[in-house]
Amino acid sequence: MEIFIKTVQLLLSLSILVILHEFGHFFFARVFNTRVEKFYLFFNPWFTLFKFKKGDTEYGVGWLPLGGYVKISGMIDESMDKEAMAQPAQPWEFRAKPAWQRLLIMVGGVLVNFITALFIFWMILFKWGESYVPVKSAQFGLHYHEVGKEIGLQDGDIVLTVDDLEVETTNDIAKFILLEDAENLTVKRGNQTVELSIPEDFDQTMIGQEVKNFAGIRFPTIVYKVVKGSHAADAGLQEGDSIVSVNGLSTVFFHELTATLKANKDSEIHLDVYRGDSLVSLNSQVSAQGTLGFNPAGYGKYVDVKIFKYGFWEAFPKGIDMGFDILIGYVKQMKLIFTKEGAKQVGGFGAMGKLFDGTWDWQKFWFNTGLISLILAFMNILPIPALDGGHVLFLLYEIVTGRKPGDKFMEYAQITGMVLLLGLLLFANGNDIFKAFIK
C-alpha cells in the first residue's frame, strides 16, 4: 500500500508539472499564431489511451509516463518529421516566426515551471507557515551519523559553524559540508569550544554511504502515548515511562532506542523503564518494522521551536526566497554528479518516488511538487540538443549572428541530444534498479 501511495503521488505530481510545462510552450505558440498539432500528457508510441481534437490541435494522454510533449508545426523536434520540414515554410509554422518569438515559445515551459514552483512555495507558507529548531537551543545537543563520529563528532555536541558559515538547523551541517567545500567545524562540547578538521573528500564519504540524516536533535525516550493493541501495550508500557535500556544497552535518548529496535526486529527484548522514581523491568516483542507501538514525547519541551505564520502577501517574498534557496542548492549539487560517488547516486523515477511519503501528506506533496518543478525547469534549460535549452542556445546564436542554423545541422543536433538523454535516462533508472534489487 505504501508503494502504491508513493506511486500515485509521483504520477499526480508529474502529471500536473508536465501539463503546465507543455502549456507554457502552447501558450506562447498561440500568442504568436503558431499552429500546435498535438498536446500530450505522457508519450504515445504505437497507441494512445485517450485523445480528441479541438481546432487544429489534437489533445491526448499517452501510455508511457516519461513526460509529455507539444508538437509545433514547422519545428524540428523528437518527431523528426523530415517530410513536413522539406516543404516551403507556412505563415503559421514555428520556422516562419521571428527569432524572438521562437525564443519565447521555447522558454515558455521552463518559465511556467519556475513560476509554478514559486507559487507553490508561496501557498505552502501561507497555508502552513514554517518552523524549525535552532541547534543552539537543543538542551541535550545533537546526535550524529557514524561518519560524523569518524571525524571526531560526539553525540551531545552542537555544531556552531562550518568554516565561517553559522549553523541554524541540523540540515545546515550536511548542506554546508557537501556544497561549500568546508574544511573545519566549530563545535560546542559541554562548556568547551572544540575545532574539528573535515578530511579531504569527506563529502565523497558521505555520498558513498548515502547519509540521509547526518545530525538530529537528541531528546530522552519518554512515552507520550501507547497504541492500543500494540506490542508496547501488551508489555505494559504506560504514558510517562522513560525507557533507559534495551537488553542492557543504554537507550536514554530516542535515537538510541530506534537503532536498537531496528537491530532486534521480530525479536523479544528486555526493557528497563523508569516509572516515576521506580525502575521497572518489562519484556516486549519488536515488530517486523523495528517498532514497539508508542509515540514518543518528542523534543518540543527540550528545545525552542521557532514557528512562523504568514499572511497572504507576507508569504509571497518568503516563497520566492525559499524557491531561490532551493534552486541555488540544487545547482551547487550538480558538481557532485561528476564525482565517482556522486554518479552512483544519480537516480530516476525510483529516486523521485522516494521523495514522497508512504502516507498522504498534502504539505509534503506540494513541497515535493515545487521541488520537482524547479528541477524540471533547471534540467530543461540546460544547453543540450533535444531539450528546451538546446533550442534556446541555437536561437540565441541566430539572434546574435543573424544566421540561422541549417535544418540538417538541427536534425543531427536533435538526434545527438536524444541519444544523450536516452543514455542518461537508462543510467539513472539503472541506478535505481541496482539499488533496489542488487545492492
Side-chain angles (χ1 to χ4, degrees):
M1 188 63 179
E2 181 176 319
I3 295 176
F4 174 77
I5 293 174
K6 286 185 175 184
T7 302
V8 170
Q9 290 185 81
L10 176 61
L11 286 176
L12 176 60
S13 178
L14 288 178
S15 297
I16 292 170
L17 297 179
V18 167
I19 289 173
L20 290 173
H21 178 90
E22 301 306 334
F23 175 76
H25 297 304
F26 178 86
F27 173 78
F28 282 105
R30 297 303 294 266
V31 165
F32 300 126
N33 296 313
T34 308
R35 182 175 295 173
V36 179
E37 298 176 16
K38 294 183 178 182
F39 187 129
Y40 266 74
L41 170 65
F42 304 150
F43 293 111
N44 61 324
W46 305 299
F47 68 93
T48 299
L49 296 180
F50 169 77
K51 65 180 179 180
F52 68 93
K53 191 164 186 177
K54 184 176 181 181
D56 295 320
T57 306
E58 177 182 294
Y59 301 86
V61 178
W63 61 271
L64 189 60
L66 298 179
Y69 69 97
V70 288
K71 179 170 172 50
I72 300 173
S73 296
M75 176 181 169
I76 295 179
D77 56 15
E78 54 274 351
S79 68
M80 301 302 292
D81 191 349
K82 299 178 184 179
E83 184 177 336
M85 296 300 295
Q87 302 300 317
Q90 300 299 319
W92 62 80
E93 290 187 329
F94 178 83
R95 56 182 168 159
K97 303 300 178 181
W100 68 272
Q101 292 186 4
R102 285 180 277 135
L103 180 63
L104 284 175
I105 292 172
M106 292 316 306
V107 301
V110 168
L111 182 63
V112 168
N113 275 143
F114 185 68
I115 292 173
T116 297
L118 297 184
F119 177 78
I120 287 173
F121 295 137
W122 174 17
M123 292 296 101
I124 287 175
L125 292 176
F126 170 62
K127 170 68 175 177
W128 290 287
E130 62 178 336
S131 63
Y132 69 92
V133 178
V135 295
K136 293 178 182 177
S137 74
Q139 182 178 335
F140 297 99
L142 310 180
H143 62 89
Y144 298 92
H145 192 280
E146 289 304 314
V147 298
K149 294 176 181 178
E150 291 175 6
I151 64 171
L153 285 168
Q154 300 176 11
D155 287 345
D157 287 351
I158 296 178
V159 178
L160 301 175
T161 62
V162 179
D163 282 351
D164 58 349
L165 300 170
E166 185 175 355
V167 172
E168 186 71 16
T169 71
T170 54
N171 290 333
D172 288 341
I173 304 171
K175 181 174 72 174
F176 294 157
I177 291 174
L178 289 171
L179 304 183
E180 305 298 339
D181 298 319
E183 297 179 351
N184 297 286
L185 300 175
T186 302
V187 176
K188 180 183 178 184
R189 181 172 293 165
N191 295 322
Q192 297 180 321
T193 299
V194 179
E195 297 290 332
L196 299 177
S197 296
I198 301 173
E200 188 176 353
D201 293 333
F202 183 63
D203 56 346
Q204 294 300 293
T205 301
M206 292 177 62
I207 296 170
Q209 296 197 30
E210 300 185 25
V211 177
K212 304 298 183 186
N213 297 299
F214 183 78
I217 302 295
R218 197 163 72 146
F219 60 94
T221 307
I222 298 176
V223 177
Y224 172 70
K225 183 180 180 180
V226 177
V227 178
K228 290 182 179 180
S230 66
H231 294 312
D234 294 339
L237 271 176
Q238 298 179 12
E239 180 182 335
D241 285 351
S242 178
I243 303 174
V244 294
S245 72
V246 173
N247 294 340
L249 297 174
S250 175
T251 58
V252 173
F253 297 103
F254 187 66
H255 73 279
E256 297 171 332
L257 176 69
T258 56
T260 304
L261 293 180
K262 286 180 180 178
N264 288 275
K265 293 179 181 179
D266 273 332
S267 301
E268 186 170 307
I269 57 172
H270 177 79
L271 301 171
D272 288 321
V273 175
Y274 268 105
R275 185 169 294 163
D277 295 328
S278 302
L279 184 64
V280 179
S281 294
L282 303 172
N283 292 316
S284 178
Q285 182 72 22
V286 181
S287 73
Q289 292 74 40
T291 60
L292 296 178
F294 74 90
N295 298 323
Y299 53 68
K301 62 185 293 187
Y302 306 108
V303 295
D304 178 22
V305 181
K306 299 290 186 181
I307 300 174
F308 300 92
K309 294 292 184 180
Y310 302 106
F312 184 77
W313 291 114
E314 189 181 13
F316 178 65
K318 296 292 184 180
I320 293 177
D321 289 344
M322 178 185 285
F324 274 98
D325 286 345
I326 292 173
L327 180 60
I328 291 170
Y330 182 76
V331 173
K332 286 183 176 180
Q333 288 180 45
M334 293 298 291
K335 68 179 182 180
L336 300 174
I337 293 177
F338 302 100
T339 64
K340 179 181 177 181
E341 295 298 338
K344 294 178 183 178
Q345 305 309 316
V346 174
F349 293 103
M352 292 174 66
K354 289 180 181 178
L355 292 173
F356 297 92
D357 283 350
T359 57
W360 202 288
D361 183 321
W362 280 111
Q363 184 178 358
K364 290 183 179 179
F365 169 82
W366 285 117
F367 177 83
N368 287 328
T369 299
L371 171 63
I372 295 172
S373 191
L374 282 180
I375 293 173
L376 289 177
F378 176 75
M379 295 300 292
N380 268 287
I381 205 61
L382 291 176
I384 299 174
L387 290 178
D388 297 342
H391 290 283
V392 168
L393 179 65
F394 297 135
L395 284 166
L396 290 175
Y397 168 82
E398 180 182 344
I399 291 172
V400 171
T401 65
R403 291 180 295 174
K404 185 178 180 180
D407 288 345
K408 207 66 178 175
F409 171 82
M410 293 295 292
E411 179 185 329
Y412 288 144
Q414 186 74 15
I415 293 172
T416 302
M418 289 171 65
V419 170
L420 287 173
L421 291 177
L422 179 60
L424 180 60
L425 183 67
L426 292 173
F427 176 74
N429 287 284
N431 268 351
D432 286 343
I433 294 171
F434 178 79
K435 291 176 187 176
F437 298 106
I438 301 175
K439 189 173 180 180

